[in-house]
């Protein structure tokens, strides 16, 4: 009745992501299909060549972080690259086939760390959710410990006022994709800037971040990420305020921001928190304590 597609983090350890999600599912494994795709890079294919069809020569592979934002795989002889978002589109469309999955009514796309970055961008840009029968098949997004977020306008958090156009003298590319909507990749360009802005507020997105995410295991130290805040936790606070600023009360209907107490980077702790479990395996509704300017705190 439910499918969970879990995206690995920067380590690309899909087996661990699958194991964590299967453990958390517990008794719900009986009615939950859990899938953990792996976006390969060249060293992965070299390492596992003897176990792969044709030694992996025809398998799609990405640059080290090219898969995180819908980038295309590296071209192979006589083959074009494929967007990592297209791969998820095809997977969601496969899951929507009622002949194969007649009882499926919920799909959850979840990811931690770099996987959280992936899920947040896909929630804004992915095309498959719009092609599904949304009355009978709901899609929910759970992004955990994302290192940065996609902004839809040129402003960024400011110490003087809520949000202002920043000084770009030291960071002229701060609004380039994956951080903003300039210089979109091929997949995002086909969707278009206006469609990206309009569709995001209607997507059901849960944002989870650990209270203790420093020291950061995989920090995004780019100047573009730095303009969103100094660390993952601050960037989450700022993004919640940002969405409320540009979308108003509509933001609170489908977007839920949560801080997991005493949690760091560990995905089992984040996803295993009370409302994390509800986002993954329940109806998405849970009682949260108000914490600051709209952010919610989990126990």
């Amino acid at each position: 009745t439910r499918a969970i597609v879990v995206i690995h983090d920067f380590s690309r350890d899909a087996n661990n992501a699958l194991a964590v999600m299967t453990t958390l599912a517990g008794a719900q494994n009986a009615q939950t299909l859990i899938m953990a795709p792996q976006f390969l890079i060249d060293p992965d294919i070299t390492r596992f060549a003897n176990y792969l069809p044709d030694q992996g020569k025809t398998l799609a592979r990405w640059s080290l972080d090219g898969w995180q934002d819908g980038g295309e795989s590296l071209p192979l002889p006589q083959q074009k690259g494929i967007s990592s978002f297209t791969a998820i589109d095809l997977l969601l469309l496969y899951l929507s086939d009622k002949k194969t999955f007649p009882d499926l009514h919920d799909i959850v796309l979840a990811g931690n760390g770099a996987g959280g970055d992936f899920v947040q961008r896909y929630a804004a840009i992915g095309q498959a959710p719009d092609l599904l029968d949304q009355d009978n098949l709901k899609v929910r997004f759970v992004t955990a410990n994302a290192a940065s977020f996609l902004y839809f306008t040129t402003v960024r958090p400011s110490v003087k006022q809520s949000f202002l156009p920043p000084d770009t003298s030291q960071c002229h590319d701060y609004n380039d994709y994956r951080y903003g909507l300039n210089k979109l990749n091929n997949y995002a360009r086909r969707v278009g800037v206006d469609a990206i802005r309009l569709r995001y507020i209607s997507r059901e997105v849960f944002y989870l971040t650990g209270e203790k995410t420093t020291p950061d295991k995989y920090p995004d130290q780019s100047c573009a990420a730095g303009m969103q805040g100094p660390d993952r936790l601050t960037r989450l606070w700022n993004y919640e305020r940002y969405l409320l600023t540009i979308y108003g009360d509509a933001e609170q209907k489908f977007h839920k921001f949560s801080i997991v107490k005493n949690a760091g980077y560990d995905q089992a702790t984040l996803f295993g928190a009370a409302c994390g479990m509800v986002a993954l395996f329940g109806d998405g509704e849970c009682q949260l304590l108000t914490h600051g300017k709209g952010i919610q705190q989990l126990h």
Side-chain angles (χ1 to χ4, degrees):
T1 59
R2 172 165 305 211
I4 295 180
V5 180
V6 56
I7 307 298
H8 55 71
D9 64 10
F10 192 74
S11 68
R12 304 180 315 285
D13 191 346
N15 284 332
N16 181 58
L18 178 65
V20 167
M21 205 60 68
T22 302
T23 300
L24 292 176
Q28 297 195 58
N29 273 298
Q31 62 261 22
T32 306
L33 172 64
I34 301 175
M35 310 177 78
Q38 181 171 3
F39 293 102
L40 302 172
I41 65 173
D42 276 326
D44 298 327
I45 293 177
T46 300
R47 181 182 178 188
F48 297 107
N50 291 336
Y51 303 94
L52 299 173
D54 196 24
Q55 294 191 317
K57 295 178 181 178
T58 59
L59 294 181
R61 78 283 310 271
W62 281 261
S63 62
L64 184 60
D65 63 351
W67 57 272
Q68 293 182 30
D69 57 11
E72 292 181 355
S73 60
L74 303 175
L76 297 174
Q78 299 181 343
Q79 291 186 16
K80 295 181 179 180
I82 181 175
S83 166
S84 55
F85 285 176
T86 298
I88 298 302
D89 283 341
L90 295 172
L91 185 54
L92 296 189
L93 292 173
Y94 167 67
L95 291 171
S96 72
D97 181 4
K98 287 299 182 182
K99 293 182 179 179
T100 307
F101 303 104
D103 299 317
L104 194 71
H105 55 72
D106 286 296
I107 299 176
V108 179
L109 183 65
N112 179 59
D117 285 60
F118 180 100
V119 170
Q120 196 269 324
R121 272 69 173 186
Y122 184 83
I125 299 171
Q127 299 180 68
D130 291 333
L131 303 177
L132 307 182
D133 180 359
Q134 298 182 34
D135 291 331
N136 297 305
L137 187 59
K138 304 296 184 183
V139 181
R140 181 181 302 154
F141 305 90
V142 184
T143 172
N145 271 342
S148 66
F149 300 95
L150 177 64
Y151 275 65
F152 305 106
T153 58
T154 58
V155 299
R156 292 297 184 272
S158 169
V159 295
K160 296 181 180 180
Q161 298 183 34
S162 291
F163 296 92
L164 290 173
D167 177 5
T168 61
S169 59
Q170 301 300 317
C171 190
H172 65 277
D173 58 354
Y174 82 98
N175 201 48
D176 288 355
Y177 186 74
R178 72 185 62 158
Y179 306 96
L181 295 180
N182 291 345
K183 296 184 179 180
L184 297 175
N185 63 21
N186 289 337
Y187 183 102
R189 194 179 303 115
R190 287 192 292 269
V191 176
V193 169
D194 291 339
I196 293 170
R197 287 173 175 153
L198 289 171
R199 72 167 44 153
Y200 189 64
I201 195 57
S202 63
R203 297 277 167 91
E204 186 178 8
V205 186
F206 274 74
Y207 306 78
L208 307 175
T209 291
E211 183 182 44
K212 301 177 179 179
T213 54
T214 53
D216 198 326
K217 190 175 181 180
Y218 301 111
D220 185 340
Q221 297 177 315
S222 66
C223 67
M227 282 192 172
Q228 299 184 14
D231 52 58
R232 294 175 193 258
L233 186 57
T234 307
R235 291 169 192 172
L236 179 77
W237 285 93
N238 288 334
Y239 200 62
E240 191 273 343
R241 292 191 302 116
Y242 171 72
L243 291 185
L244 187 61
T245 298
I246 65 170
Y247 289 117
D249 292 342
E251 174 262 349
Q252 299 179 357
K253 182 177 181 180
F254 292 113
H255 294 249
K256 300 179 181 180
F257 291 75
S258 307
I259 297 171
V260 182
K261 292 186 65 177
N262 300 317
Y265 192 80
D266 179 57
Q267 60 181 320
T269 304
L270 282 171
F271 290 137
C275 287
M277 292 292 286
V278 169
L280 291 169
F281 303 104
D283 60 5
E285 298 295 333
C286 63
Q287 293 297 319
L288 300 171
L289 299 177
T290 300
H291 185 73
K293 299 178 181 179
I295 291 278
Q296 307 297 314
Q297 178 174 316
L298 305 185
H299 287 286

